[in-house]
Amino acid sequence: MQGTTISISIALALAACGPDPRDHGNGGGDGGSGSGDGGQNGDCAEAAEFVYTIDQFTNQLSRFDPATKTFMDLGALSCPTSGGATPFSMSVDRNTVAWVLYNSGELFRVDILNALACTKTTWNSPNNLKVFGMGFSTDQAGGSTEALYIGGGRDQMQTSYTLARVDTTTMTATPIGMQPALPEMTGTGNAELWGFFPDASMPRVVQFDKSLGTVIQTYPQPTLAGTMTGYAFAHWGGDFWVFLLKNGEPATTVYQVSGATGAIVGTTPTSGRTIVGAGVSTCAPTVIF
């Protein structure tokens, strides 16, 4: 998300506990198609288990592997936006399709596994939801059905913002609550919905009640205080990943926030990246052991 005003390789042997069983053999989860049936039968392509990021200025879509803290650039998007629009936010669904919002209010579906093909949706900013953060969350813990949740409004200068659940078939939004700031959002395969609120003095990671839109848990992040140029947010492996660029900094820094305590447990600098969207599907692991 735009503000208002590298790589490190680590050899790890990891076991990932995700929300449901996955078939990486011949059962439809082999990563061969971005339009597979992963959202219907619980099988997920391996590619759906990573975090994806979008750069505000280069339109570069990249894959971020939290296990090794490395980026792999996939290519620059060439979605047919109007008026020189730039990326604003992003989420990823279980079929490895990125939902990319531009600051013009245009929302595109980008097939990550099929040449980054862009398809413009019929989204027309219902309920004045033109700019927003977003994240998919499963309907129940360990389930294979999910919904897209967003939080936003007409612009970034408002005093309150709408949280809503989106029907991605009809492109309609059902409001569920209000918040005083504009969040970036991420969901999990455990049916949770979380957000990051940037702030000059009191930034925070919060958990939302998906029925009421209220905050039910807060992790203050004083280390992240300051004026933001760009920010994004994702959940992976039981932790939260804040992609943050403050005024005066040369590039985005990735902060790993413990999902258990809210403490910052690691940082990863980047080079030349202005990340404004980070999408992760509900296929991503919820625990690493």
Side-chain angles (χ1 to χ4, degrees), residues 84-109:
T86 58
F88 187 85
S89 182
M90 181 176 73
S91 189
V92 173
D93 67 24
R94 292 175 68 86
N95 291 322
T96 325
V97 172
W99 296 69
V100 183
L101 177 71
Y102 286 76
N103 60 2
S104 58
E106 297 168 288
L107 181 63
F108 290 83
R109 298 173 77 253

Side-chain angles (χ1 to χ4, degrees), residues 252-274:
T252 294
T253 297
V254 186
Y255 297 86
Q256 182 180 357
V257 178
S258 169
T261 67
I264 295 176
V265 295
T267 60
T268 303
T270 72
S271 178
R273 297 181 188 272
T274 302

Side-chain angles (χ1 to χ4, degrees), residues 70-132:
T70 57
F71 288 88
M72 182 174 73
D73 293 337
L74 303 177
L77 299 188
S78 56
C79 298
T81 60
S82 60
T86 58
F88 187 85
S89 182
M90 181 176 73
S91 189
V92 173
D93 67 24
R94 292 175 68 86
N95 291 322
T96 325
V97 172
W99 296 69
V100 183
L101 177 71
Y102 286 76
N103 60 2
S104 58
E106 297 168 288
L107 181 63
F108 290 83
R109 298 173 77 253
V110 178
D111 192 334
I112 295 173
L113 301 182
N114 183 22
L116 304 184
C118 288
T119 303
K120 187 174 182 178
T121 72
T122 58
W123 180 259
N124 63 356
S125 303
N127 305 95
N128 289 317
L129 287 164
K130 179 180 178 181
V131 292
F132 47 83

Side-chain angles (χ1 to χ4, degrees), residues 1-5 57 196 198-203 221-232 242-255 264 267 270 273-276:
M1 186 175 292
Q2 300 168 24
T4 53
T5 37
F57 299 115
F196 171 66
D199 191 87
S201 58
M202 293 188 299
Q221 300 296 323
T223 302
L224 305 185
T227 303
M228 316 299 176
T229 298
Y231 59 100
V242 178
F243 301 78
L244 182 62
L245 175 59
K246 300 179 186 179
N247 279 4
E249 294 180 339
T252 294
T253 297
V254 186
Y255 297 86
I264 295 176
T267 60
T270 72
R273 297 181 188 272
T274 302
I275 295 172
V276 293

Side-chain angles (χ1 to χ4, degrees), residues 172-192:
T172 56
T174 301
I176 58 175
M178 303 294 293
Q179 287 294 324
L182 179 63
E184 260 298 7
M185 304 172 75
T186 188
T188 75
N190 284 336
E192 297 175 350

